[in-house]
Amino acid sequence: MQRREYGQKLATALFETEDAIDAALEKAAHLIAAMSSVRRENGLSAVLGSHAMTGVTGAVRALGEARDQIVSAHHALQTAAPLVGLGNVVMQGVGAGKPEEDSPRPTGLKVAA
């Protein structure tokens, strides 16, 4: 297998993993919204299902951490690419585009006055 081919194989698997984590976050957020809506629409106590909500929000936290870890792995693979002769190769796939290094990045939520 040529370097370009194995680089693309790894890139495809990486992009698919990143996409799957984001999809799982979306689904979990939808579940949280549905649980909250059903409770409120039916006038149920917030105590009912509290442990379930804690479980789902814990899963979201874990998915957020998994997303951070896969982004770290992405950067590590990007750093390793030149060492195996893939320095100037652009890989194809969903999520292949990256922000410019000097572009402004969000720093978090701002508190409104």
Side-chain angles (χ1 to χ4, degrees), residues 17-98:
T17 302
E18 291 171 340
D19 190 50
I21 293 169
D22 281 345
L25 279 164
E26 290 173 27
K27 296 290 185 181
H30 177 74
L31 177 58
I32 290 170
M35 290 171 68
S36 295
S37 294
V38 166
R39 185 194 68 76
R40 285 183 296 105
E41 289 167 5
N42 291 287
L44 301 172
S45 169
V47 174
L48 184 63
S50 179
H51 291 312
M53 184 63 82
T54 299
V56 177
T57 58
V60 168
R61 186 172 28 264
L63 286 166
E65 291 170 9
R67 190 177 192 285
D68 284 345
Q69 292 299 316
I70 203 67
V71 167
S72 292
H74 189 138
H75 290 300
L77 287 168
Q78 183 178 2
T79 299
L83 302 174
V84 294
L86 293 171
N88 294 324
V89 177
V90 175
M91 298 300 163
Q92 303 299 314
V94 175
K98 295 183 185 80

Side-chain angles (χ1 to χ4, degrees), residues 105-113:
R105 292 206 170 86
T107 58
L109 299 175
K110 295 187 179 179
V111 177

